[in-house]
Amino acid sequence: MFVKDTGSEASGSSSQKFKVTVLRLGHRLVRDERISTHIGLVSRAFGARRLVLTGADDHTVDSLRRLNARWGGDFEIDYVKNWRELIRGWEGIKIHLTMYGEELNKGIEQLRAKKPNEILVVVGAEKVPRDIYSLVNLNIAVGNQPHSEVAALAVFLDRVFMGEELYNTFGNAKLRIKPSSRGKKVEFVNED
Amino acid sequence: MFVKDTGSEASGSSSQKFKVTVLRLGHRLVRDERISTHIGLVSRAFGARRLVLTGADDHTVDSLRRLNARWGGDFEIDYVKNWRELIRGWEGIKIHLTMYGEELNKGIEQLRAKKPNEILVVVGAEKVPRDIYSLVNLNIAVGNQPHSEVAALAVFLDRVFMGEELYNTFGNAKLRIKPSSRGKKVEFVNED
């Protein structure tokens, strides 16, 4: 659980080893807007490169893009019309996060064994189409209790990147936070 | 990062060492209902014992109680009118999860050093009252990028309980999932 690969090159940080794209399935307008925004924020903060939504939702996209502009980085957000095509055509490993999959640690081991470069992480809403289970390479369960796709994604990425993602720096940021035990310490960088 | 305490008694599982209560601040009706439900689900699934809400929200409470009945366990949900009083009177350690706190790993080390039994974890919404930072013993940042209180809580609890919480069993469950790499395997237990 959460053990570093000792076989890997010592200089390379694990966060550079994987390129993660998150595919958010089953977004229903308004009802899921805030959850999709949280999915997007978590994707970015926990080291993914890109979020793909399956329904047009300008509110979610706008708020994520505004955030990028302030907090930096080159996280991408876009839509896909036919998500099955995206999954089928994916060159790399395809993971589905679900209550019903392989135990998290075993799943991560299997993922590492495949030495992937590009990873697609499919995150559903409450109900997902049945065929998703066989469209992917691995179904991974972040626990077997019902909880939250936001939490499942965060814990999955935290384990994949072994905690290093939390200390990623984001280029072109206007704001940066200095860790502090009491209250807010914010640096303003690259100010106009 | 995510290292087991070797000094602790070998037989005791870490998940039994802490009793965690989650205090959800700043719930605004409707807008935050789904996020608060996710906070509740994550609290339960990741090993907390109790969720305290600061605003009356029957929808969130009902859906969490229904879920308890199906999936088991004795997770509690209640309200508090004066949350400052709850924090001030808390006998145990008080943690606030925020973007602006101590780095996660350092914070967890400090938490463990205090050898707490009862932990109160305060989780805010987008804006929290400024005095919260000094009402608690520790402000802990799950990363310094904006993301999600749901994700912050999950990752924090996952580190506190060292991943063991994901394999907790819940008494009196009607449903239980068997981990499986392909699709759904559900056991029905204690059926009427």
Side-chain angles (χ1 to χ4, degrees):
Chain A
M1 65 168 58
F2 214 65
V3 175
K4 293 228 177 194
D5 255 338
T6 46
S8 63
E9 63 282 20
S11 62
S13 112
S14 65
S15 23
Q16 279 142 14
K17 278 196 267 182
F18 305 115
K19 287 184 190 167
V20 176
T21 294
V22 175
L23 170 64
R24 160 73 164 155
L25 287 193
H27 179 97
R28 292 152 299 174
L29 273 180
V30 187
R31 181 166 151 78
D32 284 338
E33 222 170 56
R34 294 202 69 215
I35 301 289
S36 291
T37 303
H38 282 229
I39 292 277
L41 293 173
V42 164
S43 301
R44 176 184 171 280
F46 286 80
R49 305 284 182 97
R50 180 178 163 219
L51 170 70
V52 181
L53 295 167
T54 54
D57 168 11
D58 293 339
H59 186 265
T60 299
V61 172
D62 286 352
S63 70
L64 290 170
R65 290 202 176 134
R66 269 200 311 276
L67 189 128
N68 267 348
R70 292 190 82 194
W71 294 92
D74 47 11
F75 183 74
E76 291 166 41
I77 313 128
D78 46 40
Y79 301 120
V80 69
K81 217 166 169 184
N82 189 332
W83 57 264
R84 283 184 179 86
E85 233 165 58
L86 175 78
I87 298 180
R88 284 203 195 95
W90 189 260
E91 291 184 14
I93 298 299
K94 301 167 273 191
I95 307 283
H96 173 219
L97 299 183
T98 162
M99 287 170 67
Y100 301 102
E102 200 73 79
E103 276 184 14
L104 179 58
N105 293 334
K106 278 193 199 165
I108 300 256
E109 264 173 44
Q110 289 175 33
L111 172 65
R112 290 197 194 288
K114 292 175 196 286
K115 301 192 188 307
N117 180 26
E118 296 269 355
I119 303 176
L120 182 69
V121 182
V122 184
V123 181
E126 275 164 50
K127 300 235 159 108
V128 290
R130 193 79 189 220
D131 61 339
I132 188 71
Y133 291 97
S134 51
L135 281 170
V136 297
N137 304 107
L138 271 172
N139 291 282
I140 295 186
V142 181
N144 296 120
Q145 292 291 320
H147 57 89
S148 161
E149 57 267 39
V150 179
L153 179 62
V155 170
F156 171 78
L157 291 175
D158 189 48
R159 302 261 184 128
V160 164
F161 290 120
M162 298 182 290
E164 291 177 12
E165 79 289 348
L166 291 176
Y167 308 103
N168 284 347
T169 50
F170 289 80
N172 294 318
K174 289 181 183 158
L175 289 176
R176 226 171 258 150
I177 290 172
K178 301 199 95 169
S180 152
S181 58
R182 292 271 166 231
K184 300 190 178 186
K185 276 196 193 165
V186 182
E187 279 182 316
F188 295 86
V189 278
N190 301 327
E191 261 196 307
D192 302 328
Chain B
M1 63 168 60
F2 214 67
V3 175
K4 293 228 178 197
D5 255 338
T6 46
S8 63
E9 63 281 20
S11 62
S13 114
S14 65
S15 21
Q16 277 141 16
K17 278 194 267 180
F18 305 114
K19 287 183 189 167
V20 176
T21 295
V22 175
L23 171 64
R24 160 72 163 155
L25 287 192
H27 179 96
R28 290 151 300 174
L29 272 179
V30 186
R31 179 165 151 79
D32 283 339
E33 223 170 55
R34 294 202 70 215
I35 301 289
S36 291
T37 304
H38 281 230
I39 292 278
L41 293 173
V42 164
S43 300
R44 176 184 171 280
F46 286 80
R49 304 283 182 97
R50 182 177 161 219
L51 171 69
V52 181
L53 295 168
T54 53
D57 169 11
D58 293 338
H59 185 266
T60 299
V61 172
D62 286 352
S63 72
L64 290 170
R65 289 202 176 133
R66 271 200 311 277
L67 188 128
N68 267 349
R70 293 189 81 193
W71 294 93
D74 46 12
F75 183 73
E76 292 166 40
I77 312 127
D78 45 41
Y79 300 119
V80 69
K81 216 167 169 181
N82 189 332
W83 56 265
R84 283 184 178 86
E85 234 165 56
L86 175 80
I87 298 179
R88 284 202 194 95
W90 188 260
E91 292 185 12
I93 298 298
K94 302 167 275 193
I95 306 283
H96 173 219
L97 299 183
T98 162
M99 286 168 68
Y100 301 101
E102 200 73 77
E103 276 185 13
L104 179 58
N105 294 333
K106 280 193 198 166
I108 300 255
E109 264 173 44
Q110 291 175 32
L111 173 65
R112 290 198 194 287
K114 292 175 196 285
K115 300 193 189 306
N117 180 26
E118 296 269 354
I119 303 176
L120 182 68
V121 182
V122 185
V123 181
E126 273 164 51
K127 299 235 157 108
V128 291
R130 194 79 189 220
D131 61 340
I132 188 71
Y133 291 98
S134 51
L135 281 169
V136 297
N137 304 108
L138 270 173
N139 292 284
I140 296 185
V142 182
N144 296 120
Q145 291 293 318
H147 55 90
S148 160
E149 56 267 40
V150 180
L153 179 63
V155 170
F156 172 77
L157 292 175
D158 190 49
R159 302 262 182 126
V160 164
F161 291 121
M162 297 182 292
E164 291 177 11
E165 79 290 345
L166 291 177
Y167 308 101
N168 284 347
T169 50
F170 289 79
N172 295 317
K174 290 182 183 158
L175 289 175
R176 227 170 256 149
I177 291 172
K178 302 199 93 170
S180 152
S181 58
R182 289 275 166 231
K184 300 191 178 187
K185 275 195 193 166
V186 182
E187 277 182 317
F188 294 87
V189 280
N190 302 326
E191 259 196 309
D192 302 329

